[in-house]
Amino acid sequence: MGERPARLGILVVHNDPVPETEIRDMAVRGAPEAERASVHAARFECPRPQDGEYVGSAARALADSPDVRRGLDHLGQLGADNICLCFGSSSFFGGTAFDAEFVARAREHSGGVPVFTAAVAIAEALRATGVRRPLVVMPPWFTPPTFAATEKYLAEGGVEGVRIVQFELGPEWSGVERYNAFDEGARWVVRPDDVRTQVLAAFGGDVDGVLIPGSGMRAQGAVAALERELDVPVITANQAALWFGLRTSPVGQGMPTGSGRLFELLPAPRDTAGDGSGRP
């Protein structure tokens, strides 16, 4: 086969435009053409009930759902090196047990291609950067049950404490239930400049980093400026997904530049455990 760039497969909610655009942009930024990782997306129907809050999915049921199963099969046949589930809320509600069960079942559908979740990537990114008390900036469509689930999940991964704030949309969204805001179009109106402004206003106290855990929240464009101004690591879900996918790729791969301190770290040993955990 010879040397080639890494290939990252991503599973994305059916109406989420953000992960593939942000991850692809980061993958090519600052990387020589011959080393630019390729990013390949498959979509699945979001399991959130109509006009209701999402409160989790059974791991095996999600992995076996027709869209997810088809996406895993197609990405495996395409030749992806690994596949990320860009749907952190499912992990937050299900905990690390969800991650383990989903990854094991998903690999049966991917033809043996390793699978990992965005939440696992986030947890590894926090560990790698030494962030233990992050300011967690929630997307405007997340609700209190998701706040609590996220905090619990991060605690399972060794985070000592979090301070949660929520990105605020403009007053024109006041009549929309938060859990409906994404489907009503809020995914298109979050701007990195506004993310930067709101994070700067909220930052302070005993925090040592910033975490933006929503794959569907367009925030990557704010990372470099925030790290310069706050002098702490800033981690987004999509940034973590690409970083983890590259560090666990079976092919040699340099890290892109210009997308945050996380990519400046030396990559950890590749995942020879084969379970998406990153364990050597």
Side-chain angles (χ1 to χ4, degrees), residues 88-95 119 122 142 146 149-150 152-154 156 213-214:
S89 296
S90 57
S91 295
F92 299 151
F93 279 104
I122 287 169
F142 278 14
T146 313
T150 304
K152 182 178 179 181
Y153 182 92
L154 294 174
E156 284 188 64

Side-chain angles (χ1 to χ4, degrees), residues 35-118:
E35 296 181 8
R36 293 174 181 172
S38 59
V39 182
H40 310 275
R43 296 187 174 278
F44 64 96
E45 187 76 22
C46 180
R48 185 180 78 86
Q50 186 174 5
D51 195 27
E53 295 182 81
Y54 178 76
V55 291
S57 302
R60 190 181 183 93
L62 183 61
D64 286 344
S65 63
D67 290 351
V68 172
R69 184 169 185 166
R70 185 182 306 112
L72 289 163
D73 176 49
H74 288 176
L75 290 170
Q77 291 189 55
L78 176 145
D81 295 320
N82 44 37
I83 301 169
C84 179
L85 174 66
C86 295
F87 188 45
S89 296
S90 57
S91 295
F92 299 151
F93 279 104
T96 53
F98 171 93
D99 293 329
E101 185 176 358
F102 179 87
V103 164
R105 184 60 174 172
R107 189 161 183 169
E108 296 179 24
H109 302 318
S110 68
V113 173
V115 179
F116 64 95
T117 70

Side-chain angles (χ1 to χ4, degrees), residues 123 125-134 157-162 206 208-209:
L126 290 170
R127 278 192 280 270
T129 54
V131 174
R132 295 294 177 266
R133 300 179 305 280
V159 172
E160 297 168 5
V162 303
D206 188 27
D208 59 0

Side-chain angles (χ1 to χ4, degrees), residues 205-248:
D206 188 27
V207 298
D208 59 0
V210 177
L211 170 64
I212 303 172
S215 297
M217 182 170 165
R218 195 180 302 277
Q220 188 59 40
V223 169
L226 285 171
E227 289 190 333
R228 286 194 303 270
E229 293 168 291
L230 299 175
D231 195 26
V232 297
V234 179
I235 295 166
T236 75
N238 294 326
Q239 176 205 58
L242 175 61
W243 171 79
F244 191 80
L246 293 179
R247 67 173 274 212
T248 58

Side-chain angles (χ1 to χ4, degrees), residues 12 15-23 26 86 88 136-142 147 165-169 178 182 186-199 210-223 226 234-239:
V12 184
N15 61 347
D16 188 349
V18 178
E20 61 196 290
T21 54
E22 285 201 333
I23 294 172
M26 285 184 281
C86 295
V136 181
V137 184
M138 294 293 191
W141 43 83
F142 278 14
F147 294 3
V165 298
Q166 186 162 38
F167 181 87
E168 293 294 335
L169 298 170
R178 284 192 179 270
F182 186 87
R187 61 193 184 275
W188 293 107
V189 303
V190 176
R191 303 182 191 283
D193 284 348
D194 296 330
V195 173
R196 171 183 166 273
T197 298
Q198 293 191 28
V199 170
V210 177
L211 170 64
I212 303 172
S215 297
M217 182 170 165
R218 195 180 302 277
Q220 188 59 40
V223 169
L226 285 171
V234 179
I235 295 166
T236 75
N238 294 326
Q239 176 205 58

